[in-house]
């Protein structure tokens, strides 16, 4: 991604389709927000008509609901249940297949086509989550070729949030609500007496190249001020907050705190929190063989610190209780991720709170440990 090129333009909402067509012409498959099955889902889209016009969401602990607003807005929702992770780091991926032929093992060498995505509507928290996964998969000297190939070809269209969700706390984590970096194009949806339009900013050479071909005028100071006011309002309306001051150290010295037992009494160890988290990355590898036709496949699947088999080593599980699994998850996210990857492992998207079936809230659990810091 090239240097940030701040050159704000204004794109009329009626011309948003031009941006999509330009991305398609550049060979990208569009992935964007779609209202489906009662939730916003990031799925392949064809154009503006697929976007969730007039839909908004309500989110709280263990609760999610889509509401029809009747408004013209196209991006008036907070975090979708699934993040972009499922496209850059697929939940299930075939690593190779082989078969026995004339008494020898023959590896199938047909290469899987690498998708060239354009993500439409990436929130600031998720840009930060992608940056985290970049450090995990391509930034630590060990390159994951599957992630690297998808990531290299991806074009990111960020959309700044116009409303904070009930479980959002990106301001606490320094990851939002305004996209600062990591995007190719960033949009802010503006609807006021000057019309329905988008402030368009470019963040890379690729973004500038696409934007230059659009029918978008230079932004007026009023447009820039209106976008800044939206981000300021959203920052002041976060659904949650998390005091991160000294938190890594507090958690690290409270591994025997009784609050881990209290959480374990409620936690179902269902793994929902890790599946929806945009930065969780753990996987397991599974081999399958067919006795019928002599073929074998190796698959990589998302896994979770909440699954019993994940910490199984010879002789048993390293983490054999829900208490130890929840503690592992939370302390990794908020404490020793810093040491491992140079940042928090949490971007404050709120998904783990919304999608926890029993309403366990990472901000409340961390605050409870802080409030009764025993060490
Ligand atoms: S914290 Fe909630 S979502 Fe996570 S494993 Fe426990 S019950 Fe499931
Ligand atoms: S830990 Fe929860 S709030 Fe933090 S990034 Fe993951 S899903 Fe979002």
């Amino acid at each position: 991604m090239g240097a940030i090129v701040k050159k704000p333009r204004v794109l009329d909402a009626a011309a948003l389709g031009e941006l999509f067509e330009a991305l398609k012409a550049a060979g990208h498959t569009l992935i964007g927000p779609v209202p489906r099955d009662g939730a916003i889902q990031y799925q392949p889209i064809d154009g503006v008509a697929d976007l969730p016009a007039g839909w908004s969401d309500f989110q709280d602990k263990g609760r999610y609901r889509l509401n029809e607003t009747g408004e013209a807005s196209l991006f008036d929702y907070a975090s979708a249940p699934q993040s972009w992770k499922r496209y850059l780091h697929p939940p299930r991926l075939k690593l190779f297949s082989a078969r026995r032929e004339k008494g020898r093992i023959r590896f199938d060498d047909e290469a899987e086509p690498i998708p060239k995505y354009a993500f439409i509507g990436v929130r600031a928290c998720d840009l930060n989550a992608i940056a985290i996964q970049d450090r995990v998969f391509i930034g630590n000297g060990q390159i994951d070729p599957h992630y690297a190939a998808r990531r290299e070809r991806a074009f990111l269209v960020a959309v700044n949030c116009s409303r904070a969700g009930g479980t959002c706390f990106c301001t606490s984590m320094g990851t939002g609500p305004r996209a600062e970096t990591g995007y190719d194009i960033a949009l802010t949806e503006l609807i006021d007496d000057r019309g329905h339009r988008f402030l368009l900013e470019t963040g890379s050479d690729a973004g500038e190249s696409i934007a230059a071909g659009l029918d978008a005028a230079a932004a007026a100071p009023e447009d820039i001020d209106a976008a800044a006011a939206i981000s300021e309002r959203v920052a002041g309306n976060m659904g949650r907050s998390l005091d991160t001051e000294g938190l890594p150290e507090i958690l690290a010295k409270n591994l025997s705190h009784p609050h881990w037992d209290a959480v374990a009494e409620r936690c179902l160890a269902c793994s929902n929190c890790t599946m929806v988290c945009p930065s969780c990355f753990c996987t397991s590898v599974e081999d399958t063989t067919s006795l019928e036709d002599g073929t074998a496949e190796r698959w990589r699947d998302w896994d979770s610190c909440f699954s019993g088999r994940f910490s199984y080593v010879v002789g048993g599980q390293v983490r054999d209780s829900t208490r130890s699994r929840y503690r592992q998850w939370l302390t990794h996210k908020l404490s020793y991720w810093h040491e491992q990857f140079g940042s928090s492992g949490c971007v404050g998207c709120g998904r783990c709170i919304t999608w926890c079936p029993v309403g366990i809230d990472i901000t409340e659990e961390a605050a409870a440990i802080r409030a009764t810091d025993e060490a």
Side-chain angles (χ1 to χ4, degrees), residues 160-172:
N160 288 315
C161 292
S162 53
R163 195 176 52 75
T167 56
C168 293
F169 56 102
C170 62
T171 48
S172 298

Side-chain angles (χ1 to χ4, degrees), residues 263 266-274 304 306 322 326 329 352 355-360:
V263 183
R266 290 179 288 147
C267 177
L268 308 172
C270 67
S271 302
N272 268 17
C273 47
T274 51
S304 165
F306 286 92
T322 301
Y326 185 84
W329 179 69
C352 59
W355 296 98
C356 174
V358 294
I360 292 173

